[in-house]
Amino acid sequence: MYSNYKVHWKGKAHKDVVWTACRITAKEDFNQAMKEIKKLDSEAYSYLISVDPMQWSRHAFNPMVKSDQLVNNVSEFFNKYIMEARDKPILTIFECIRR
């Protein structure tokens, strides 16, 4: 989500307030962080409220989920690792992964 956000709003101030809103675990604190974003830039605020917080803010994550990762480094690493084998038959892909 932040990758899409930073296309339009750059700078350390924007980065800090968005990541603060992402990491917050209490709804009241999230609302306060969103007020800070609105003070910084009302268009950025409008963009963020148009995206469901369940997809990007820890306070809205489903409590039944056992991982609250905000980044997907594992999947990015795996996809890069198997890049050369993607267009191969499935058994060849498995052999590349096994190595």
Side-chain angles (χ1 to χ4, degrees), residues 4 11 17 19 21-22 25 29-30 43 47 50-51 54 56 65 71 76-77 79 81-82 85 88 91 96:
N4 293 331
V17 294
W19 278 107
C22 288
T25 57
D29 295 337
F30 173 77
E43 287 182 27
Y47 170 77
S50 72
V51 180
M54 287 184 71
W56 64 274
V65 175
V71 293
E76 290 175 12
F77 171 79
N79 286 332
Y81 184 78
I82 65 166
K88 308 284 191 260
L91 291 176
C96 287

Side-chain angles (χ1 to χ4, degrees), residues 23-79:
R23 292 184 180 113
I24 286 176
T25 57
K27 184 163 179 65
E28 297 79 23
D29 295 337
F30 173 77
N31 291 336
Q32 185 61 38
M34 291 302 287
K35 286 179 187 175
E36 292 296 319
I37 292 170
K38 191 173 188 177
K39 279 197 278 186
L40 181 65
D41 190 320
S42 62
E43 287 182 27
Y45 172 82
S46 297
Y47 170 77
L48 289 173
I49 61 169
S50 72
V51 180
D52 185 2
M54 287 184 71
Q55 296 185 15
W56 64 274
S57 183
R58 188 173 282 159
H59 88 279
F61 287 177
N62 183 340
M64 298 301 292
V65 175
K66 300 300 181 199
S67 173
D68 61 356
Q69 287 284 336
L70 295 172
V71 293
N72 60 352
N73 292 341
V74 173
S75 61
E76 290 175 12
F77 171 79
F78 180 76
N79 286 332

